[in-house]
Amino acid sequence: GGARADSLDLNSHDSRWPRQNSLSMKEWDIPYDELKLFEVIGAGRFGTVYRGSWHGAVAVKLLHVHSLSDHCAQLDTFKHEVATFRKTRHENLVLFMGACMKPPRLAIVTSLCKGMTLYTHIHLRKDKFTANKSVIVAQQISQGMGYLHARGILHKDLKTKNIFLENGKVVITDFGLFSVTKLCFSNNARGDSLGIPPGWLCYLAPELVRALRPHASLHLPFSKCTDVYAFGTVWYELLCGEYPFKGQPPEAIIWQVGKGVKPSLANMQASRDIKDILMLCWSYRSAERPDFPHLLSTLEKLPRKRLARSPSHPVHLSRSADS
Ligand code: ATP
C-alpha cells in the first residue's frame, strides 16, 4: 500500500525509485490551484519562471509542454528529475519546495533567489570581482557542487546564469533538470542547427563538444568531469569578466575545443596558482580534471592577496578592508 512505500522511501536508493517514486512523490505534489503566479521573471529554453507565492515567496518554473505525443516521456523524465531534486539540501543550492505534476501543468517550485546571478554581475553590470572575492565565490560553488556529486547528482548545466549571489552567498539553481530542458528544447527553434543556445558552448567539455549532433543533446556524455569543466569556465568569467573564446563563431569554438585548444590566458591578470586551477579544470582528458573536494582544498590554500597599500592608507586600515 501507499503508506508502506512512503515509509520505505525514507531510506530509498536510486535503484528502487521507479516503483516507489509515484507514491512518495505525493508528498512533493503541489496542487496547481494553490500557487499564486505574479510577474514573469524570465523565460528560459524550456519554461517560464514566475515570481509566485506558496506559503511565502517562491519561484515557479512552468514548463512548456509541446505536443501531446511528448507527454508520457516528458512526464516520466520530469518525475525522475523532481525525484532527484528533492534529495538536495545544502546552503549553496536553491531550496526545492515541490512540483505540480499533472500535465499540461508541469511546474517546479523553489525558493525565490534574492540578489542577482553571476551572469548579471559579470556580463551585464560589468562588476569587477577581485581575486579574493572570486576565490570566496568559487569555494562556495565547489561546496554546493561537491555536495551534488556526493549524492550522485550531475548538474549538467552549471553556468553563471544559474548561480545567484545573495548577500555574498552563492545559490546554485537549475541542477538536474537538464533532460526536461533538452527534451523541450529540441522542439523549438532557438539556437542553431546543433541546438546550441548562445553562451552555452563555452561550458562544454571537449568530450561533449565532440558528441554534439543536431537534436541529440539529450544523449550527451555528461559526467562529474564535465561539470568540473563548466566550473572552469565560471572561474574564468569571474576572473576575466568575459566569456572564453569571446566573439568567436560557434564553429571556431567547436573546432578548437574538440582538438584541445584552450583560450589564451595571456591577457589574464592572475597568479600562477589561479591559472593552474583553470587549466586543470579545462584538461582535455576528463580524468585529469580535479574533483570538487580537491578544488575546494586548492582554493582554500591560495594565498590571499593583500590590497596594495598607498602611503596615505595605513596598513591596519587596508587590512580590514580586505575581506
Ligand atoms: P536556460 O533555460 O538557457 O538555462 P535561463 O537560465 O536564463 O536560461 P531559466 O533557468 O528558465 O532560464 O530562468 C529564467 C529566469 O528566471 C532567469 O532570469 C533566472 O535568473 C530566473 N530564475 C530562475 N530561478 C530562479 C529563482 N529560484 N529565483 C529567482 N529567479 C530565478
Side-chain angles (χ1 to χ4, degrees):
R4 190 166 160 264
D6 265 326
S7 57
L8 270 177
D9 190 61
L10 287 173
N11 351 284
S12 82
H13 299 292
D14 267 351
S15 57
R16 291 181 177 172
W17 82 264
R19 201 164 45 81
Q20 291 186 13
N21 196 38
S22 56
L23 292 161
S24 57
M25 291 291 269
K26 277 183 186 150
E27 211 179 317
W28 301 96
D29 213 337
I30 298 178
Y32 188 77
D33 305 335
E34 288 185 13
L35 288 175
K36 281 201 197 89
L37 299 187
F38 305 128
E39 79 276 8
V40 171
I41 303 174
R45 278 167 283 172
F46 74 109
T48 306
V49 179
Y50 292 83
R51 188 174 69 82
S53 173
W54 188 71
H55 304 287
V58 294
V60 181
K61 186 169 240 174
L62 212 55
L63 305 193
H64 306 140
V65 181
H66 290 271
S67 62
L68 272 170
S69 59
D70 278 349
H71 272 187
C72 282
Q74 234 172 289
L75 189 63
D76 278 355
T77 315
F78 179 72
K79 285 188 169 173
H80 190 174
E81 297 194 335
V82 166
T84 307
F85 213 157
R86 71 191 171 139
K87 290 192 296 186
T88 59
R89 290 161 182 274
H90 190 277
E91 271 238 76
N92 300 115
L93 302 179
V94 74
L95 178 68
F96 171 74
M97 297 181 71
C100 303
M101 283 176 276
K102 293 202 181 59
R105 303 249 185 254
L106 297 185
I108 290 166
V109 182
T110 64
S111 59
L112 185 70
C113 297
K114 294 160 218 89
M116 286 173 280
T117 62
L118 283 182
Y119 171 83
T120 301
H121 279 292
I122 295 170
H123 300 286
L124 303 181
R125 294 168 47 104
K126 313 276 180 201
D127 293 337
K128 293 279 173 274
F129 284 76
T130 61
N132 288 352
K133 185 94 186 280
S134 301
V135 170
I136 293 167
V137 168
Q139 283 175 351
Q140 295 185 46
I141 299 171
S142 305
Q143 300 256 25
M145 289 300 301
Y147 171 93
L148 277 185
H149 284 184
R151 308 223 87 186
I153 301 168
L154 305 178
H155 191 301
K156 301 185 185 175
D157 200 16
L158 183 66
K159 55 183 184 180
T160 47
K161 278 190 178 179
N162 288 336
I163 304 171
F164 277 83
L165 209 50
E166 291 185 339
N167 296 318
K169 191 180 89 174
V170 163
V171 179
I172 302 171
T173 66
D174 242 6
F175 38 87
L177 297 172
F178 194 75
S179 307
V180 162
T181 311
K182 287 297 157 178
L183 208 58
C184 303
F185 177 65
S186 62
N187 292 329
N188 81 37
R190 280 170 65 192
D192 60 18
S193 59
L194 284 172
I196 302 168
W200 183 50
L201 206 48
C202 58
Y203 294 103
L204 297 188
E207 63 270 26
L208 295 178
V209 166
R210 296 173 72 109
L212 284 177
R213 304 281 183 277
H215 305 295
S217 38
L218 203 54
H219 307 291
L220 289 174
F222 289 105
S223 65
K224 290 180 182 176
C225 308
T226 60
D227 277 348
V228 171
Y229 185 97
F231 169 86
T233 300
V234 171
W235 182 232
Y236 179 94
E237 292 173 72
L238 280 166
L239 297 163
C240 296
E242 56 189 36
Y243 283 120
F245 297 113
K246 188 189 169 198
Q248 298 195 36
E251 305 76 46
I253 301 176
I254 290 173
W255 189 83
Q256 290 173 86
V257 173
K259 283 183 98 68
V261 180
K262 298 184 182 75
S264 160
L265 303 187
N267 299 325
M268 186 167 161
Q269 302 202 326
S271 69
R272 186 73 230 202
D273 323 355
I274 283 181
K275 291 186 183 181
D276 283 349
I277 296 177
L278 191 53
M279 283 301 132
L280 278 175
C281 293
W282 279 350
S283 295
Y284 184 76
R285 276 184 254 248
S286 61
E288 286 166 15
R289 293 173 213 148
D291 60 14
F292 281 105
H294 184 93
L295 275 168
L296 189 61
S297 69
T298 310
L299 288 164
E300 277 164 356
K301 282 185 213 127
L302 282 180
R304 289 290 187 89
K305 210 172 120 197
R306 281 161 297 173
L307 290 181
R309 291 170 199 137
S310 60
S312 61
H313 204 133
V315 170
H316 64 279
L317 278 183
S318 54
R319 273 264 167 83
S320 64
D322 183 16
S323 58

